[in-house]
Amino acid sequence: MFTVYILFSESLNRYYVGHTGDLKDRLIRHNQGRSKSTKSGIPWKIMYTEAYQTKPEAYQREMEIKKRNQEYILND
């Protein structure tokens, strides 16, 4: 099982979209500053998730979301 997730950083007022096979571990890594792209936005909160059976499906959905704007992310 793979998860597409949307995180939010209040300090940056910014969303981050990703996918993972272990959401709990991935959130910990984001909030420990172990991801270069999210290090400056700690703490991150999970705002939304979707589950997929395969990694390619999750990656495809992540890319679809990233092509959209913030309004789409909030209203999808």
Side-chain angles (χ1 to χ4, degrees):
M1 184 68 69
F2 293 87
T3 304
V4 174
Y5 60 91
I6 300 175
L7 304 179
F8 180 71
S9 166
E10 286 186 24
S11 64
L12 296 177
N13 192 32
R14 184 176 148 236
Y15 290 90
Y16 177 85
V17 180
H19 76 282
T20 185
D22 185 344
L23 184 57
K24 183 178 177 181
D25 177 64
R26 189 67 180 123
L27 181 61
I28 290 168
R29 290 177 16 212
H30 281 300
N31 283 322
Q32 287 178 340
R34 292 167 52 191
S35 176
K36 187 193 261 188
S37 59
T38 58
K39 189 174 187 174
S40 64
I42 297 168
W44 291 91
K45 296 179 186 176
I46 298 172
M47 301 301 289
Y48 181 77
T49 63
E50 292 178 358
Y52 292 89
Q53 291 295 316
T54 68
K55 186 173 183 170
E57 289 175 317
Y59 177 76
Q60 181 178 352
R61 178 61 173 147
E62 175 188 344
M63 293 299 109
E64 288 173 9
I65 294 170
K66 285 182 173 180
K67 287 180 184 177
R68 307 296 177 132
N69 62 20
Q70 181 171 326
E71 191 171 315
Y72 171 82
I73 290 171
L74 294 174
N75 294 316
D76 186 41

